[in-house]
Amino acid sequence: MAPDRLRRIGGAALAALTLALAWTGAGASAPGDGNGGAPWVVATYAYPQRDRAAAVQPLADYLARRSGHAVQVRILPSPTALVEALRAGEVDVAVPNLHGYLQARAGEGAIVALPVPDVPPVQADRYRAVLVARDGATTLADLPERARDLRLALVGADSASGGFVPMAALRDLGLDPRTGFAALDYAGSHAAALQAVAEGRADVAALAADVYDAAPPEGVHELWRSGPIPPGPLLCRASAAVDCGQVAGWLLQAHSQAPAVMAALRAGWPEFGDATAFTVAPPLQDLAID
């Protein structure tokens, strides 16, 4: 049975990336800032084997066209770094993961939740976290007693399906993921976390369920599965230069005004599934992070 905390996450509930701070060389389509002032910054976080700059460039182009401002794209090393830059006023519009959204929600009131990709229900139901283990290593019932002898692999501390969601499940079992195991490794990606346990470099791993379901390795079994994990809404930092309500309205029109926006986001975030439009973000007040 899923832990109570993860029942509240969706209904039943990266090694930290040491990537250099990167800027795209070119701004978006507006050649200058027709309204004066600094260009807007649209930002997200890096992820292995995903061109996140390409994934958010059409969004930046679209906002540039609608606003008349020059817009630049910025890629931060992690969801946490993205939220810190947003709070510091260095980012105007952000594409976070769920963990980043939840961190920002706990911050200052200037940060506003924007619409969220409207993921088809069947695909939304598949976005879950799993804990898996090498055959013979442990069962879920035995995990609290055996954890001190087991090596744990997570995707990253601020990953949703490969980080804070399964970490919450482990805590509900009485285990501290950071100190309760023989070793803790951050694999950096879901595929790498699964590979670590399949190759015997870890005994237990946490990752996205769809990655495990696509190719369950021989000799690896599932210990636990979360409920569906909702995607995090986009974020906006309200300021004299940025009207977040107006940005939200533009996003809700993007499916007809600029279909390339969502097509590029889908390529950057598999959890967005076949979403073609944004929708108003539902209340996520029952979600929590430690």
Side-chain angles (χ1 to χ4, degrees):
M1 181 179 296
D4 288 343
R5 185 182 304 162
L6 293 188
R7 259 189 224 110
R8 299 196 299 270
I9 299 180
L14 265 140
L17 295 176
T18 55
L19 299 175
L21 196 66
W23 289 79
T24 57
S29 57
D33 190 344
N35 294 315
W40 290 5
V41 176
V42 171
T44 190
Y45 60 98
Y47 189 81
Q49 282 124 26
R50 296 279 173 186
D51 188 345
R52 288 285 173 77
V56 299
Q57 189 65 55
L59 172 63
D61 292 341
Y62 175 62
L63 293 180
R65 176 166 63 85
R66 296 300 301 265
S67 69
H69 283 271
V71 180
Q72 294 177 325
V73 168
R74 187 176 177 184
I75 309 300
L76 281 299
S78 69
T80 297
L82 175 64
V83 171
E84 290 173 348
L86 191 69
R87 286 178 176 157
E90 300 168 3
V91 169
D92 299 294
V93 175
V95 184
N97 69 347
L98 181 61
H99 189 273
Y101 163 74
L102 293 173
Q103 289 184 81
R105 193 188 65 177
E108 61 184 76
I111 298 178
V112 177
L114 294 172
V116 64
D118 190 8
V119 184
V122 171
Q123 294 174 331
D125 186 71
R126 290 201 297 263
Y127 183 41
R128 301 169 183 253
V130 291
L131 287 167
V132 300
R134 292 185 301 110
D135 288 351
T138 190
T139 65
L140 188 63
D142 293 336
L143 187 56
E145 291 184 5
R146 303 191 62 181
R148 289 282 181 189
D149 299 319
L150 302 174
R151 299 158 296 168
L152 173 65
L154 300 173
V155 175
D158 51 7
S159 169
S161 55
F164 88 91
V165 171
M167 288 170 74
L170 292 170
R171 289 192 180 98
D172 282 349
L173 289 171
L175 288 169
D176 185 332
R178 294 183 175 88
T179 61
F181 288 81
L184 170 61
D185 178 55
Y186 293 111
S189 72
H190 298 276
L194 183 59
Q195 187 175 14
V197 75
E199 295 178 351
R201 291 180 283 108
D203 303 295
V204 179
L207 64 146
D210 59 347
V211 175
Y212 174 71
D213 292 341
E218 185 176 352
V220 175
H221 67 281
E222 183 178 316
L223 296 176
W224 165 90
R225 182 173 294 238
S226 78
I229 304 171
L234 273 64
L235 295 168
C236 176
R237 190 179 192 282
S239 67
V242 180
D243 182 337
C244 293
Q246 192 172 51
V247 173
W250 293 335
L251 292 181
L252 293 173
Q253 298 168 2
H255 63 284
S256 61
Q257 297 284 323
V261 170
M262 190 59 71
L265 291 176
R266 290 197 307 267
W269 283 267
E271 59 264 40
F272 294 163
D274 294 328
T276 60
F278 288 94
T279 188
V280 174
L284 298 178
Q285 310 205 352
D286 53 347
L287 298 177
I289 58 173
D290 294 324

